[in-house]
Amino acid sequence: MDGDDTDPAIDLASNGEAVVVWSSEEDVGGAGTDSDLLLSRCSITACTQAEVLFMRASAESASDGSPDIAITGGRLDVAWVSTDGLDFDVAGSDSDIFHAQVSLSGSLPADAPIGAANANAYGDSGLDDAPSIAVSSTDAVLFAWDSTDDLGGLIGTDWDALFARLGDGSATGAEIFADDFESGDLSAW
């Protein structure tokens, strides 16, 4: 098939199955040739055919890429960069970090609710990129990413590392400036 396939992320399910998510410009399942997220499950001997991860892939023309994944029990948490504004003005037209949870026993494409991981997604103007995701033992979902957003003047417009946590009683989507060094910025950690 034609179209670029990039940014693979992999994690292992409790049954030993590897789950791989990546960005693709291939028209899989009618998703079009914009970049969408695909998923494949792999055993020791074979991988399943690539499937579109989210239902809204065929309804939007935004760029989705740079996924990262975390598997907890039978749940797949996915973070990625997108230029999709989402419905209801959740995110602006710049690149933002999105998050969704998908049941590994469910069918694809998933009709999972998609939300912005960065709390200021609608009002920011900086670029957000390179998300990392982890899930704590209390089911909190943790995100880290690079951003050129100045967080309303709190930091500069160079690339900085940001952090957010969703769940476990903490402030939902609270962005924390991850570096406060004047002489050098952290771009990934």
Side-chain angles (χ1 to χ4, degrees):
M1 295 183 136
D2 291 330
D4 291 336
D5 294 288
T6 60
D7 306 322
I10 189 169
D11 202 358
L12 294 174
S14 60
N15 65 0
E17 177 181 73
V19 175
V20 183
V21 174
W22 69 96
S23 178
S24 179
E25 294 175 348
E26 294 182 24
D27 187 4
V28 174
T33 56
D34 61 321
S35 59
D36 292 302
L37 301 183
L38 301 183
L39 178 141
S40 182
R41 303 163 203 255
C42 301
S43 68
I44 292 175
T45 58
C47 291
T48 63
Q49 183 173 357
E51 298 178 84
V52 175
L53 186 53
F54 298 112
M55 264 187 180
R56 70 177 287 114
S58 61
E60 48 95 312
S61 60
S63 175
D64 298 309
S66 301
D68 194 29
I69 63 174
I71 297 174
T72 307
R75 185 182 83 205
L76 172 69
D77 281 88
V78 184
W80 72 97
V81 176
S82 183
T83 58
D84 188 353
L86 289 179
D87 300 326
F88 313 110
D89 294 326
V90 172
S93 60
D94 62 330
S95 64
D96 290 300
I97 307 301
F98 289 177
H99 169 251
Q101 295 177 336
V102 176
S103 170
L104 287 174
S105 61
S107 62
L108 293 177
D111 191 17
I114 296 172
N118 52 323
N120 68 337
Y122 182 70
D124 75 341
S125 59
L127 299 176
D128 298 299
D129 196 20
S132 294
I133 190 171
V135 179
S136 76
S137 60
T138 60
D139 256 2
V141 182
L142 309 167
F143 305 95
W145 70 96
D146 299 339
S147 183
T148 62
D149 188 55
D150 67 1
L151 297 180
L154 293 175
I155 58 177
T157 57
D158 61 326
W159 285 100
D160 292 300
L162 300 179
F163 170 83
R165 176 184 5 227
L166 301 176
D168 85 346
S170 63
T172 301
E175 291 183 19
I176 299 170
F177 181 45
D179 75 23
D180 54 11
F181 301 105
E182 292 296 324
S183 61
D185 293 331
L186 301 173
S187 62
W189 43 277

